[in-house]
Amino acid sequence: MKKVVAVFGTMDTKGEEYFFLREQLERCGVEPLMIDTGITPQPQYPCRITAQEVARAGGSSLEEIRRHERLYSFEVMGRGSAAIIRGLCQDKKIDGAISLGGGQGTLLAAMVMRELPIGFPKMIVSTIANLRTPPFEGVRDTVVMNSLVDVSGLNHVLRKMLCNAASAIAGMVRFSPGEDAGGRRPHKTVAMTMFGVTTPCVNRVRDILEEKGYEVIVFHANGQGGKMMESMIREGMIGAAADVTTGELTQELLGGNCSAGPHRLEAAPEKGIPQVIVPGAMDLANFMPPSSLPERYEGRRYYMHNPNLKLLRADARESAQAGKILAGKLNRSAGPVTVLLPKRGISQYDSPGGPLEDPQADEALFSALKEWLRPDIPLIECDLHINDPAFAQRIAEELMKIY
């Protein structure tokens, strides 16, 4: 049987482009399932799922939509599209999804893609793919292709982009091994967080755990990585967390580029999975480019990680505040949790003689943790640096005790 790809978008504004994409998908041996998310049906661009059906799935009707402003129609059609395509995916009636557009079209497409599971082929062709913009927040493993030109009339450039997009999504659905790609999920799966300044520690812990039969999934603690880990924990894909790099909390506190938002380190406590926690990289916040450093931090201690990245050192007051925030998160834990403190430094640069060494700030962090942490949560102080092999060994041992 042919693989089926949901093709969804506004046929009243971009029908010509969508039906060209449809032809290219058919050329690639894929069956397109056309879905109209516009508000003015176009008979020359017939879709299997009509705009009226999408509006009903969004809790309204085209007639009602026309009585409201544009925002109302966007919310209804976005909600309806997400509900329909999520249902098609759950019922295994589609094997992939693709959409295209500018700002509005990208935002609507993102609303849908967020609802689709990890590993399911999904693609957005967008005029704003080259920008760091909110529409792409939370779209996870969606493939995003820059259309290079506006999606406004076919021309030789856009035709080439749509041909490439059709070939890409067709390849994903036709040749992907699907759910069997990674084999069976191991009995014990551990999430770990890593930054460049905690890499030696994380790599060593991973080696030890993998030797014992654990599957270790490492997330780059750059903001997006932390969010993805939180999402996977909530979806039940992770059995335990060795959260060695909790620095995204400090990034959020200081306004750094690598914040994972205010809800970082909430999924594991809520789900009750076992956790080993280390305040790794909680000594710094990233500012890229360096000119993005706020004026309030002028004159503060920093280190240039590379020519485009300035690392601001958290001072004692900020470190104490970060420690209190971390303790508050952990105090909500419904499952077993152990905290390990590397007393000789919490990052590569926060080491004896290192460019961001600050024993007073570290002690403020540790003291706040000890003061505010729930008394029944074990807190173990180690006279080691975070990247010492012996500290990595201790992390692995403590995790294996509770998982």
Side-chain angles (χ1 to χ4, degrees):
M1 295 180 64
K2 278 189 176 181
K3 298 289 187 176
V4 179
V5 173
V7 183
F8 63 99
T10 52
M11 302 303 153
D12 53 356
T13 61
K14 293 177 170 53
E16 181 184 19
E17 295 86 352
Y18 271 107
F19 270 67
F20 178 80
L21 178 60
R22 173 187 177 177
E23 292 175 6
Q24 302 314 305
L25 287 168
E26 291 172 338
R27 178 183 60 81
C28 294
V30 172
E31 179 183 344
L33 192 163
M34 306 299 291
I35 302 171
D36 189 1
T37 66
I39 60 173
T40 306
Q42 302 294 308
Q44 70 271 38
Y45 300 122
C47 293
R48 193 184 311 179
I49 297 177
T50 67
Q52 190 68 269
E53 291 175 272
V54 174
R56 280 199 297 268
S60 188
S61 67
L62 293 182
E63 293 73 25
E64 178 65 22
I65 282 173
R66 295 189 187 106
R67 290 195 284 268
H68 292 267
E69 293 185 356
R70 185 176 181 178
L71 179 60
Y72 177 80
S73 65
F74 178 82
E75 291 174 344
V76 168
M77 300 308 277
R79 202 163 52 236
S81 302
I84 287 172
I85 296 172
R86 181 177 62 242
L88 290 169
C89 175
Q90 291 171 345
D91 295 340
K92 300 189 183 302
K93 292 182 178 179
I94 56 173
D95 303 287
I98 186 170
S99 188
L100 58 99
Q104 289 287 94
T106 298
L107 183 56
L108 188 144
M111 291 174 68
V112 174
M113 300 311 186
R114 292 188 192 102
E115 299 293 315
L116 301 177
I118 291 170
F120 183 81
K122 42 195 173 287
M123 187 173 194
I124 302 174
V125 182
S126 172
T127 63
I128 59 173
N130 60 329
L131 303 177
R132 293 187 66 181
T133 50
F136 297 111
E137 183 76 18
V139 298
R140 306 198 288 190
D141 58 335
T142 301
V143 176
V144 181
M145 176 182 284
N146 191 334
S147 64
L148 299 184
V149 298
D150 205 349
V151 184
S152 181
L154 291 172
N155 52 66
H156 79 278
V157 177
L158 186 58
R159 283 191 178 94
K160 180 59 178 174
M161 295 304 102
L162 295 181
C163 287
N164 287 346
S167 299
I169 191 71
M172 282 189 273
V173 300
R174 290 187 61 195
F175 302 109
S176 170
E179 295 179 358
D180 298 327
R184 294 186 61 186
R185 176 182 155 190
H187 177 60
K188 292 189 174 183
T189 301
V190 178
M192 292 188 69
T193 47
M194 182 170 77
F195 222 30
V197 292
T198 61
T199 295
C201 175
V202 173
N203 282 343
R204 177 60 183 151
V205 176
R206 177 171 56 81
D207 289 343
I208 296 169
L209 293 177
E210 288 179 346
E211 287 175 3
K212 298 295 184 180
Y214 292 80
E215 179 185 57
V216 178
I217 303 175
V218 179
F219 295 86
H220 190 189
N222 60 356
Q224 292 303 314
K227 290 178 183 178
M228 180 53 62
M229 184 179 75
E230 299 285 312
S231 174
M232 287 190 179
I233 290 172
R234 286 198 167 89
E235 292 178 20
M237 300 175 67
I238 304 294
D243 209 341
V244 175
T245 312
T246 51
E248 285 161 316
L249 298 182
T250 307
Q251 300 275 352
E252 170 73 6
L253 176 65
L254 299 184
N257 298 142
C258 293
S259 165
H263 301 298
R264 173 72 168 91
L265 231 165
E266 293 182 2
E270 290 169 9
K271 294 288 286 188
I273 66 171
Q275 304 171 81
V276 171
I277 303 295
V278 179
M282 289 189 70
D283 56 321
L284 52 85
N286 292 40
F287 290 92
M288 184 174 66
S291 59
S292 67
L293 185 76
E295 289 185 8
R296 66 181 181 276
Y297 296 133
E298 288 299 327
R300 288 280 299 276
R301 190 175 175 191
Y302 67 88
Y303 181 72
M304 295 300 297
H305 183 69
N306 62 48
N308 199 41
L309 174 56
K310 179 178 285 188
L311 302 179
L312 175 72
R313 207 330 172 168
D315 62 22
R317 180 186 61 81
E318 294 157 345
S319 296
Q321 192 174 352
K324 182 178 179 180
I325 292 170
L326 176 56
K329 303 271 189 181
L330 298 179
N331 288 345
R332 305 173 194 169
S333 297
V337 54
T338 300
V339 179
L340 293 176
L341 303 183
K343 300 288 285 186
R344 294 195 181 184
I346 55 179
S347 80
Q348 175 186 340
Y349 298 136
D350 177 38
S351 57
L356 295 180
E357 180 187 16
D358 189 337
Q360 289 74 31
D362 286 350
E363 186 54 40
L365 170 66
F366 300 153
S367 295
L369 263 172
K370 287 184 277 190
E371 178 182 357
W372 295 101
L373 195 65
R374 230 170 55 198
D376 61 307
I377 295 177
L379 188 147
I380 302 169
E381 299 182 65
C382 302
D383 189 26
L384 297 165
H385 185 266
I386 190 169
N387 288 328
D388 286 344
F391 187 70
Q393 181 72 38
R394 188 64 186 270
I395 293 172
E397 290 172 354
E398 294 300 327
L399 183 72
M400 289 187 284
K401 287 179 184 178
I402 58 177
Y403 184 52

